[in-house]
Amino acid sequence: MNRPLLCVLLLPALVLAGCGAEADYPREPFSGTVTIDGKPLAKGHVVFEPKDQGVPTQSGGEVVDGKFDVPQEAGAMAGTYSVLVFADDAPLPVGVQPGTVEADAAIRKAAKTVVKVPRQFNINTTLSAEVKAGGPNAFSFDLTSKPAGK
């Protein structure tokens, strides 16, 4: 068989083998609670951004009545994460899923105008979490509404 024909025949197989690679990441489910001044955060989002450049996944989920639960298929890879917490003062745009880059951008834009959760817990976060392979991955974030140093 000639080489160009072989390349043409193998190309679709190679392309298909690369598709869905993100699904192959060993994601871990995680859950937890968020309180502000001792009360459950009524509605918001948590975003887990990897601190390590080698971790290719960002993850997050919706906070309802102070609780969040991110399933394995939307979870994070094992590693250390910066955690951002946002109160929902405006809904996400239609079609935007929580925990995505688009949701993060929309939430950050809204956070610049309405501040219920101080920036030290989102835009300038001081929060972090270690997601462990095999878990358990349950986190508790107890926030205050007063910015640091005030």
Side-chain angles (χ1 to χ4, degrees):
M1 185 176 284
N2 70 29
R3 187 169 284 210
L5 180 60
L6 183 61
C7 290
V8 169
L9 292 174
L10 288 177
L11 184 61
L14 293 173
V15 169
L16 288 175
C19 291
E22 187 169 321
D24 293 337
Y25 291 144
R27 294 176 180 263
E28 298 294 330
F30 60 92
S31 61
T33 59
V34 179
T35 61
I36 188 156
D37 297 329
K39 298 177 185 170
L41 179 63
K43 189 166 171 41
H45 285 86
V46 293
V47 177
F48 280 50
E49 291 185 346
K51 286 187 174 186
D52 180 3
Q53 294 287 336
V55 178
T57 58
Q58 175 186 31
S59 187
E62 188 173 18
V63 177
V64 177
D65 296 327
K67 296 179 183 174
F68 61 93
D69 189 12
V70 179
Q72 185 170 4
E73 59 271 8
M77 290 179 61
T80 304
Y81 290 80
S82 293
V83 179
L84 295 77
V85 178
F86 298 92
D88 277 354
D89 296 298
L92 287 176
V94 174
V96 175
Q97 295 296 316
T100 63
V101 174
E102 293 83 8
D104 188 33
I107 292 168
R108 286 175 190 257
K109 184 177 178 182
K112 290 179 181 175
T113 58
V114 179
V115 179
K116 281 193 174 180
V117 175
R119 294 181 194 281
Q120 73 204 38
F121 304 122
N122 48 57
I123 303 293
N124 300 319
T125 191
T126 58
L127 301 173
S128 66
E130 180 76 26
V131 174
K132 296 177 182 168
N137 291 302
F139 306 100
S140 180
F141 301 106
D142 302 312
L143 317 179
T144 61
S145 61
K146 296 185 187 213
K150 293 195 178 186

